[in-house]
Structure formats: structure tokens, C-alpha cells
Amino acid sequence: MSNNIHEILQSTLKGNEISRKECLELMEIHEFSPEMYELFYTANKLTRERSNGAGQIHAQIGLDYTACPRKCGFCIFGGIPNETIELSKEEIMTRAKNFERAGADALYLMTTASFDFSNFITLGKEVKKSLSSKIQLVANIDDFGSTEAQELQDVGFTAIYHAVRLREGKDTKIDPKTRMATIENAKSAGLKIYFCVEPIGPEHNPDEIIDLMFLGKKLGVEFSGAMRRTSTPTTRLHDKGEINLVQLAKIVAITRIVMVNSAMWNCTHEPNLPSLLAGANLLWAETGPNPRDKCPDTSSSEGRGLSVEQCRKLLMEAGLKESPQKSAS
Ligand code: SF4
């Protein structure tokens, strides 16, 4: 067992922040080594203490299935999808109510960059009106300016999901500065920022991954975590393959440690047990079109998306209980 790794992890348990250099040392831990299990133990303990052993389920509705001008290499909509679909208002409302009834802690409305913003605002307003509980409403949409940020806030969105993705500007047609500007616009309008280190593939080096861990911390995001890239046929990055769930769990654990004093919730995607034993406590349920799924409805029997019930079962299997609060703050 490396003394240095042991000391870093012990210090973290006392609430001490880690440096970038220490973070790099953690990234170099060999899988299946004793240090790896000490890393998992440390992150798991920090998360469970912070959330009092609770987990959260955030539920996402994809509103449209269409070609997106941002052309992200990891996304089905960055290519040329073979059909175009937009959920009707009625379908969106039904799915929102179903997620609320199932006990989701937050509801995300997600679109491609092709979706009309004023239409999104109209739909968001309707969805917000129909929700009876304190469920958080979250926008996962294209970049926007300060006026749009205020509109989102005015109709009742409480947060946006917005990440600067790995190799943003190279694997996507978005300048990372544009993503940052959107985050700042949202913050200025009083919206919370939900963020995650994503989408991680085998080609990403530890420095690139650590950059995003520390960016999330610097931005003061409400939660962080890690998502691996799902290698989806027809996407440009399909041939690069995937990291495995143990590698993902390691990154989830280190992200937890980087956010040691700044976040109660730490996500993993797609939902998986190894990460839930390594410091994750936030999972996503999904329905409708989805960037990782050729199937136009990810919650159908052929789709990848999990239901709230399936996410809840995973949390229980990992020994986490349901969150008593309907908020990620
Ligand atoms: S990830 Fe989002 S922005 Fe990128 S191509 Fe897909 S829908 Fe468009």
C-alpha cells in the first residue's frame, strides 16, 4: 500500500482539499490494487456522511429527435438520425406526471440545439404549472444568453444541466468559452448549475479529466460526478470504444474527493453499482429521445434508459435510502 496515497485519502476524510498533483496521483492508482479499494472506501464514506446515506433520482425527458447543428461526435443527433420526432405537449405532460408520481427528485427537459427556445419556454411553463410537489425543474438545452437565462428563471426552472464536455470544440462544434458563458449567464439569473465530468472515453488522459473536475469546483456547481461515453453506433466516436464501469467508478470517486466540501450529491451515468460503492449517490431515469440511444424512445423496451423504479432499486442494492428532500441543493 502506498503511504502517499494513504495519507492523501486520510487527509481527505478530515475534510482537507486535495491539490491537482495529489489528484493526478489518485488517477494513477492501479485498478484492483489495495489503494483502489481505499479510494472507493474514502469516497463512499464522504458521500454517505454528507447525504446521510441518501441517494437521489433525477428524471429526464428528451423532447426531440433530430439532427443537431452542434455535431457532437458522441451524440446520435450529431450525425444524421434517420427520422425526426418531437414529443407532443400532451406526451411531455404525461411523462412529467409519471416521473413525479414515481418519486423523482428533479425533472429535466432536454432538447437538441435545433429546438426553438420560445417553444421550450412555453412547454416549461406548462410543465411547471402541472407539477404539484416541490420537484425541481431543470433545463438541459443549447447555449443561451442572459435574456434567455432570465426567461428560464421566470417560468420556474431552478437549474440548468450544462457541462463543458471533454474535448469541447474538438469533438463538438462549440467553443468551450460559449459553454462557460452560458453557465455564467445562468448563475447571474439565479439558476443552479448541475455539472458532470463527461463523456469519458478510453482516449482521454488524466490531465483532461482532472481539468473538468477542478472546473466544476471553480464554477461552484451544485453537484458533479462522472459519465462514461456510451459507444453508440453511427456516432463519430463510436470506434473509440468505452471505459469499463470500474474505471468509471474510479473517476466518480476522485470527483467526489475534489468536491469534498462543496457538493452533497455526486452523480454517475449510466446508472451502475460499482460507482454507487465509490461515492456516487445520484442516478438518472430517462424517457424520450436520447443522445446515447438509436431508439427514438429510450424508455421503450428496446431503449437504454432506466425508469425511476429501476434507479431506486439500484440505490437500495447499494444500501442508499431515498432522499427525504426533493432538491439537489
Ligand atoms: S450533445 Fe447536445 S449539442 Fe451535442 S449534438 Fe447532441 S444534442 Fe446537439
Side-chain angles (χ1 to χ4, degrees):
M1 173 87 70
S2 153
N3 278 342
N4 208 26
I5 296 287
H6 179 68
E7 275 160 27
I8 295 170
L9 295 175
Q10 282 296 307
S11 166
T12 301
L13 281 177
K14 292 181 194 136
N16 295 320
E17 311 270 333
I18 65 167
S19 66
R20 194 186 160 96
K21 184 171 164 287
E22 289 169 327
C23 194
L24 198 54
E25 283 186 59
L26 297 183
M27 286 292 286
E28 280 164 5
I29 290 175
H30 193 273
E31 286 146 36
F32 311 114
S33 65
E35 288 83 359
M36 181 81 152
Y37 289 93
E38 189 176 359
L39 169 68
F40 284 6
Y41 163 78
T42 305
N44 202 15
K45 188 166 162 60
L46 286 170
T47 287
R48 286 166 197 244
E49 280 177 1
R50 201 151 268 269
S51 70
N52 197 22
Q56 283 211 337
I57 302 163
H58 290 195
Q60 173 151 271
I61 308 174
L63 306 193
D64 64 330
Y65 188 102
T66 191
C68 175
R70 306 296 174 242
K71 303 257 174 252
C72 303
F74 41 80
C75 172
I76 197 99
F77 310 126
I80 314 224
N82 49 11
E83 52 188 322
T84 298
I85 298 167
E86 212 170 284
L87 295 193
S88 68
K89 185 177 111 185
E90 291 68 35
E91 276 180 285
I92 296 165
M93 305 301 273
T94 303
R95 290 174 199 233
K97 291 303 286 177
N98 286 345
F99 273 148
E100 184 184 34
R101 256 193 302 271
D105 295 285
L107 179 73
Y108 294 46
L109 299 182
M110 173 178 66
T111 71
T112 68
S114 298
F115 204 86
D116 179 66
F117 182 77
S118 52
N119 188 18
F120 184 78
I121 287 291
T122 307
L123 289 165
K125 205 188 280 181
E126 292 285 329
V127 169
K128 181 71 187 175
K129 255 199 309 194
S130 77
L131 299 175
S132 54
S133 70
K134 286 194 252 159
I135 188 167
Q136 305 280 301
L137 190 59
V138 184
N140 184 357
I141 59 174
D142 193 22
D143 287 289
F144 52 78
S146 51
T147 310
E148 289 86 358
Q150 195 54 56
E151 281 186 71
L152 289 167
Q153 160 83 306
D154 291 345
V155 299
F157 285 93
T158 50
I160 61 163
Y161 177 84
H162 216 73
V164 178
R165 281 82 52 93
L166 283 154
R167 300 193 184 172
E168 192 79 74
K170 296 191 184 98
D171 288 341
T172 73
K173 283 203 179 302
I174 311 175
D175 187 328
K177 288 191 193 118
T178 306
R179 305 289 291 178
M180 294 285 286
T182 298
I183 291 172
E184 291 305 335
N185 289 331
K187 279 168 75 175
S188 299
L191 294 161
K192 295 175 193 167
I193 310 301
Y194 295 173
F195 181 94
C196 164
V197 178
E198 58 126 322
I200 308 159
E203 75 276 19
H204 297 125
N205 62 50
D207 270 318
E208 293 172 283
I209 294 170
I210 290 173
D211 280 348
L212 293 192
M213 290 178 184
F214 280 90
L215 178 63
K217 185 176 170 188
K218 187 171 140 208
L219 290 170
V221 300
E222 286 294 312
F223 70 72
S224 189
M227 176 182 92
R228 71 173 174 178
R229 182 181 63 235
T230 298
S231 182
T232 312
T234 79
T235 59
R236 272 199 321 286
L237 299 177
H238 173 55
D239 290 347
K240 294 205 181 284
E242 294 182 353
I243 59 168
N244 66 36
L245 290 178
V246 178
Q247 292 166 320
L248 175 61
K250 178 168 137 183
I251 297 167
V252 165
I254 299 170
T255 306
R256 160 79 277 164
I257 285 169
V258 169
M259 303 291 286
V260 60
N261 295 315
S262 47
M264 184 188 294
W265 308 103
N266 193 42
C267 76
T268 186
H269 202 52
E270 295 175 338
N272 68 91
L273 265 176
S275 289
L276 288 173
L277 297 176
N281 60 355
L282 199 172
L283 300 179
W284 271 285
E286 296 174 293
T287 188
N290 190 285
R292 292 167 293 101
D293 209 335
K294 265 188 91 171
C295 179
D297 186 350
T298 199
S299 57
S300 70
S301 54
E302 298 87 47
R304 309 184 61 85
L306 295 196
S307 64
V308 169
E309 292 76 11
Q310 286 170 311
C311 289
R312 182 175 294 122
K313 183 154 188 339
L314 268 174
L315 291 177
M316 301 301 129
E317 296 284 13
L320 289 157
K321 56 186 191 232
E322 275 198 78
S323 170
Q325 61 183 96
K326 298 288 174 200
S327 158
S329 57

